[in-house]
Each structure stands twice: as C-alpha cells, then as structure tokens.
Amino acid sequence: MKWIPELAETELERAEKRYAQAKARLQALKNREATRQRKLDTRRKVILGGALMDLAERDSSAAVMLDRLIRNLPREQDRKAFAEWETPSPAPSDDGAS
C-alpha cells in the first residue's frame, strides 16, 4: 500500500480542527461555570445585605455595625451609593411603659 501525503495531511487537519473545537467547547463550559459562580456570589451578597439591613432595624448593635461598614467602604464610588441613605435604626420598643 502506497502512502499518500495529501491524505495524511487531510487527516492531520481534521484532527487539528476537532482539537480546536473541543478546546472551544471546554472554554465555553468554563465560562458558563464562572458566570454561574459570579451570579451565585452576587445573590449571596444581596441576601446577606438585606438580612443585615433587616437586623439593623431591630438591633442597635447591628445598626452601629452597618453604619461603620458603610463609613469604612474603601472605594469612593461605593460610599457615594449610600450618600443619601440613612442607616436603619431599631424602632423603639413598646414595653407598655407610658
């Protein structure tokens, strides 16, 4: 059987194409997983932030901590987001004393 260089080159090209496609699929899967993880991280932060804000409305030490966290945000643009926002403070308890 005679070896045909053109046939071998075509097979090599097909193998390289399959490799490139597999590599692209792998990268797409990695990107989807990274996106999923970022979304989950963001969701956790939103949930925890909401829980902390809710707690600050009921607990004065949580309100103080939340105020301190906001004042100590390292990025100016983050602090600006809270410029007109008032830190929640616990509602006075109604213990029956008048």
Side-chain angles (χ1 to χ4, degrees), residues 8-97:
E9 185 64 29
T10 303
E11 188 176 337
L12 179 60
E13 288 171 352
R14 283 194 309 258
E16 286 176 342
K17 185 177 178 181
R18 284 193 311 268
Y19 172 74
Q21 290 171 339
K23 194 173 176 182
R25 282 193 309 272
L26 176 61
Q27 188 60 49
L29 285 170
K30 286 180 177 181
N31 291 344
R32 277 197 296 271
E33 179 60 19
T35 298
R36 190 184 75 78
Q37 287 296 327
R38 278 193 308 276
K39 286 181 179 182
L40 182 58
D41 183 56
T42 299
R43 184 167 191 266
R44 288 174 179 149
K45 289 174 183 177
V46 169
I47 291 168
L48 283 174
L52 178 58
M53 290 168 63
D54 183 52
L55 179 62
E57 291 176 359
R58 296 179 278 117
D59 182 333
S60 60
S61 63
V64 168
M65 180 179 63
L66 183 59
D67 184 57
R68 189 175 335 127
L69 286 170
I70 292 168
R71 283 185 287 114
N72 291 316
L73 287 170
R75 296 182 343 160
E76 179 65 26
Q77 65 190 26
D78 293 342
R79 286 191 304 275
K80 284 181 181 180
F82 292 95
E84 296 177 15
W85 185 73
E86 284 191 35
T87 306
S89 57
S93 61
D94 187 12
D95 58 5

